[in-house]
Amino acid sequence: SSGINAEWPLRPGNRILYVRNLPYKITAEEIYDIFGKYGPIRQVRVGVNPETKGTAFVVYEDIFDAKNACDHLSGFNVCNRYLVVLYYQSTKLYQKVDAEKKQAQLDAAKKKKVPMRLCVDTTA
């Protein structure tokens, strides 16, 4: 057992940071350069599709390094864009994506003026 409880991803102070408002052309190497100043990084995942462009996940080896980076890099200016650095919260992220998908389906249905089929999410 790793000793990580089920609430771990939801708790501020975890070692996964969610970064928004990144320049679209930023590379993983550039993110390593910026965030690596605060401690060893295990992984960087940069968003590449239209929904995730301008975002990234930065996974630190240590929660204290992640906290330090979050404290210092929120509002940091990169190519005239101010970074938004948050602790990763899996449920909030999925709820937002689901809400955006449902809104897009609704908007598309309104444009077509076709009755929309209601979907019931049985996983919730």
Side-chain angles (χ1 to χ4, degrees), residues 38-56:
Y38 297 93
I41 293 173
R42 181 171 291 185
Q43 184 179 45
V44 169
R45 301 290 301 260
V46 181
V48 293
N49 66 33
E51 294 84 30
T52 61
K53 234 178 169 71
T55 67

Side-chain angles (χ1 to χ4, degrees), residues 12-91:
N14 69 49
R15 50 194 186 89
I16 305 172
L17 299 179
Y18 176 56
V19 187
R20 294 191 337 224
N21 207 34
L22 287 162
Y24 282 177
K25 294 184 187 275
I26 198 163
T27 65
E29 291 76 23
E30 291 168 324
I31 293 172
Y32 271 104
D33 289 344
I34 294 166
F35 284 80
K37 292 181 171 104
Y38 297 93
I41 293 173
R42 181 171 291 185
Q43 184 179 45
V44 169
R45 301 290 301 260
V46 181
V48 293
N49 66 33
E51 294 84 30
T52 61
K53 234 178 169 71
T55 67
F57 290 101
V58 178
V59 183
Y60 279 91
E61 296 284 343
D62 185 272
I63 62 171
F64 299 106
D65 294 337
K67 180 186 183 323
N68 197 17
C70 189
D71 292 346
H72 287 92
L73 292 174
S74 286
F76 185 74
N77 188 329
V78 177
C79 300
N80 294 319
R81 296 183 70 90
Y82 294 96
L83 299 186
V84 177
V85 183
L86 307 163
Y87 292 106
Y88 169 61
Q89 296 184 348
S90 62
T91 54

